[in-house]
Amino acid sequence: MNLDLFNNLVNSVKENNIVQSFMKELSNYLEKENNKLPNERHNGKDCGSLKQENCLYQVIEMDVDGAYLQNIDNNRISKETDISKEILNKICNDSVLRFKDGTYIYEEELTKEFYDSLIDIKEYKNIQDNFVKESNILEIDSDTRYKIELHEDNYCLLSYENEGKNTIEVPNELIPFWAKNGDNLYYKDGKFNRDL
């Protein structure tokens, strides 16, 4: 009987050591995450340099010594401080940059296109309401993935289900600006989003 009590005590201590060890490792990991330098995190996202050759980036926030850039292909954010002073003086939030040959280039034409595509909230809401009324979007399963088949001047043709045999026309204003043919989208909370 005393032997059972001793074994239970030993097992309890072993389990406690495992729990304590786990808690210590978890605590160390969380401390490392919380102590990352401010330029490595932006709104909860890792912000180490993510430069890719010939890739487009959109400025999401200007900073004293650079800018936070979002990769338009994968939405990853990085803080970049090696942008030339000349370019920093030209750009603002939503400007488009390209990383080419080891340096950032300001894409004035793409930036202008982006700004030209913006519409006010009231107009967007009207387009959205008309789309919902005229289409069957609310009858389609919310987990459905849509593929952009065709970009026209005023609309995008999206295919879905039945091996892409079902299609729906969507006003361009409701399609994410950086989406291109072949991209997958999903519809949530009244708008289309890129499926990355």
Side-chain angles (χ1 to χ4, degrees), residues 4-5 7 55 63 82 86 90 93 103 112-113 135-137 139 145 151 175 181 188 193:
D4 286 337
L5 181 63
N7 283 337
C55 188
D63 199 37
D82 63 347
E86 178 186 337
K90 288 182 182 178
N93 287 354
T103 188
K112 182 181 179 328
E113 281 180 38
S135 73
N136 63 341
I137 191 69
E139 298 168 16
R145 293 302 184 252
H151 251 319
I175 300 292
N181 287 351
K188 184 176 180 182
N193 301 281

Side-chain angles (χ1 to χ4, degrees), residues 37-135:
L37 296 173
N39 69 343
E40 292 179 327
R41 295 188 74 73
H42 182 71
N43 292 334
K45 297 185 179 187
D46 288 337
C47 291
S49 181
L50 303 170
K51 298 174 192 163
Q52 293 176 350
E53 185 65 20
N54 206 28
C55 188
L56 293 176
Y57 296 87
Q58 192 158 23
V59 177
I60 58 167
E61 186 177 328
M62 297 297 295
D63 199 37
V64 176
D65 60 344
Y68 286 94
L69 305 180
Q70 184 170 11
N71 181 314
I72 66 153
D73 289 332
N74 60 24
N75 289 346
R76 299 213 39 205
I77 297 171
S78 62
K79 180 178 180 190
E80 296 301 335
T81 56
D82 63 347
I83 302 170
S84 73
K85 296 282 185 204
E86 178 186 337
I87 290 179
L88 281 173
N89 290 332
K90 288 182 182 178
I91 64 174
C92 59
N93 287 354
D94 293 326
S95 294
V96 179
L97 304 176
R98 180 182 305 275
F99 187 73
K100 190 166 183 170
D101 298 328
T103 188
Y104 285 101
I105 301 165
Y106 178 43
E107 291 283 349
E108 292 180 58
E109 213 36 56
L110 283 174
T111 300
K112 182 181 179 328
E113 281 180 38
F114 177 77
Y115 283 125
D116 289 347
S117 75
L118 298 177
I119 57 175
D120 67 30
I121 293 172
K122 188 175 180 180
E123 185 179 352
Y124 180 84
K125 186 70 176 144
N126 286 337
I127 293 169
Q128 191 177 44
D129 289 344
N130 287 336
F131 171 69
V132 169
K133 285 179 197 171
E134 296 171 3
S135 73

